[in-house]
Amino acid sequence: MMLYAPLLLGAWLIEALFGWPKPLFSIIRHPVVWLGWIISAADKQLNRPRWPHWIKYALGGLFSSLLILGTAAFAWAVSDTLPNTWWGWLVECLIASSLVASRSLHTHVAAVAIPLASGNMEAARKAVSMIVGRDPKQLDEAGISRAALESLSENMSDGVIAPVFWGVLFGLPGIAAYKAINTLDSMIGHRSEQHEAFGGFAARLDDIANLIPARLTGLLITLASGRPSSVEVMIRDARKHRSPNAGWPEAAMAGALDVRLSGPRRYQGQTSDDAWLNPGQPDPTAEDVAKGLNIYRKACLLGMVFVALIAGVELI
C-alpha cells in the first residue's frame, strides 16, 4: 500500500527549500498555468452570455467535473508508471512539490512587507496588487497591511494546507484533483454576472474541498502564535466572513496579532461592505505584516511536524 504522508512530507520540504525554479518556469511554465490555459479556453467557448443560466451551469459543472477527473487520472497514471524505487519516489515528490505553494506565498507577501516597512508605499502597492484583487491606489498603510495579512492567511489554507491535506489522504491524484478544483474556483468561481452560472458548480465544490483544511489552518495559526485568545476570536468571528472557509484562518491571524482584518474594501471601483474580524482592535501596520510572516513560518513548521508524525505511524 502506498504511504502518502512520507510522499507529501518530502514534497513539502522540497518546495519549502527550493520552490518552483524560475528557469524551469520559463521553459515549461507550471502545472497551474497549464490548468489555467484549459479553463480559459473552455470559458470562452462554453460560457456564452446569450445562453440561459441553467445551460451555462450544466456546461460549467460538466466541464469542471471532467477537468478534475482528468487531472486526477493523469496524476494516477504518472504515479502508477513510476518505479517502486527510491528515485521513483523522489520524482513523485518533485512533481507533488509543484502543487504546494508555501515558499512562493512567503515570497509574495515578503515583497509587500519589505517596502512597506521602509515607507516605500508605491512599491508596496505594486507588490500587494500581485496577490489581491482590490484597487491598490486606494490603499494606505493599514489597507496594504490588511490585504497582505488576509492573503497570507487565506492562501496558506488554499495553497499549502489544503493540497497537503488531500495529498496525505489520496496521494498525487488527491493533490492534483484539489489543485484543479482550486484553480477552477480562482478563475471562474466568482459571484459575477459572467461567472455566477458557469462557475457555480466549481465554487461550491471548492467550498467543500476547503472545509476541513481552512479550519486546520486556523488551528495551526493559533498554535504558532502561542495566543489562546486567537482561538476565541476565530470561533467568534470566522462565520462573519463572506466566505464559508476564508474567515477561519483570517480570524485566527487577526486574533494572533490583536488587529482587525477584513472590513470594507474596494474592488474595481465598487465597495464591498464586509464585516470586521476582531472588531474593536487597531488596524495592522507594517510591523504586523512581519509578525504575520513569522507566525506563518512557525505554522508551516508545525504542519510539517504533524505530517511527519502521520508518516511515522504509516511507516511503523
Side-chain angles (χ1 to χ4, degrees):
M1 184 179 68
M2 174 63 72
L3 304 178
Y4 296 138
L7 172 70
L8 266 295
L9 179 62
W12 195 355
L13 286 170
I14 289 170
E15 191 279 332
L17 291 172
F18 305 107
W20 187 248
K22 289 183 179 180
L24 192 58
F25 180 85
S26 65
I27 298 171
I28 64 170
R29 297 304 180 191
H30 187 275
V32 172
V33 176
W34 307 340
L35 288 169
W37 288 337
I38 299 171
I39 295 167
S40 180
D43 189 25
K44 290 177 182 177
Q45 295 299 319
L46 302 177
N47 188 18
R48 302 295 176 92
R50 66 179 182 275
W51 289 348
H53 184 282
W54 73 269
I55 290 181
K56 290 191 288 186
Y57 188 94
L59 287 173
L62 178 61
F63 164 71
S64 298
S65 299
L66 290 174
L67 181 65
I68 295 162
L69 291 173
T71 303
F74 179 77
W76 175 85
V78 170
S79 179
D80 190 60
T81 301
L82 289 170
N84 189 23
T85 61
W86 69 267
W87 67 265
W89 179 83
L90 181 59
V91 170
E92 192 165 0
C93 282
L94 289 169
I95 296 170
S97 73
S98 70
L99 303 176
V100 183
S102 60
R103 185 180 182 90
S104 61
L105 176 57
H106 186 280
T107 299
H108 279 89
V109 177
V112 180
I114 293 170
L116 190 63
S118 63
N120 188 344
M121 301 299 291
E122 182 178 352
R125 290 190 181 99
K126 183 178 180 180
V128 83
S129 71
M130 304 297 291
I131 57 175
V132 297
R134 63 197 74 172
D135 185 0
K137 296 179 181 178
Q138 305 292 327
L139 299 178
D140 55 9
E141 180 184 353
I144 294 171
S145 299
R146 283 201 304 273
L149 288 168
E150 288 160 17
S151 180
L152 179 67
S153 307
E154 181 179 358
N155 285 303
M156 181 182 177
S157 175
D158 293 356
V160 184
I161 302 305
V164 169
F165 174 81
W166 290 109
V168 168
L169 288 180
F170 300 110
L172 190 62
I175 191 173
Y178 171 78
K179 213 61 184 179
I181 293 170
N182 190 242
T183 306
L184 281 161
D185 180 66
S186 298
M187 295 187 67
I188 62 173
H190 311 295
R191 292 180 180 176
S192 63
E193 184 177 351
Q194 179 183 359
H195 289 120
E196 185 174 10
F198 188 70
F201 176 82
R204 302 293 81 76
L205 193 58
D206 184 75
D207 288 342
I208 295 170
N210 283 295
L211 194 68
I212 296 174
R215 286 148 182 81
L216 289 176
T217 305
L219 180 60
L220 286 171
I221 290 172
T222 60
L223 291 173
S225 71
R227 297 180 64 89
S229 59
S230 178
V231 178
E232 180 183 347
V233 174
M234 179 176 65
I235 294 172
R236 185 192 68 205
D237 292 346
R239 292 178 179 84
K240 297 178 183 177
H241 200 281
R242 67 189 182 281
S243 163
N245 296 316
W248 292 85
E250 288 187 24
M253 185 65 79
L257 296 171
D258 276 335
V259 299
R260 64 177 185 174
L261 294 176
S262 195
R265 74 281 305 277
R266 289 182 65 81
Y267 293 99
Q268 300 177 349
Q270 297 182 345
T271 300
S272 175
D273 191 22
D274 294 335
W276 289 104
L277 303 178
N278 204 20
Q281 298 303 313
D283 286 319
T285 64
E287 183 180 357
D288 291 311
V289 178
K291 290 179 180 178
L293 281 167
N294 186 44
I295 291 173
Y296 168 77
R297 290 189 293 269
K298 291 178 180 179
C300 284
L301 183 59
L302 280 173
M304 288 182 185
V305 170
F306 287 134
V307 175
L309 290 174
I310 297 171
V313 172
E314 288 184 349
L315 292 169
I316 294 176

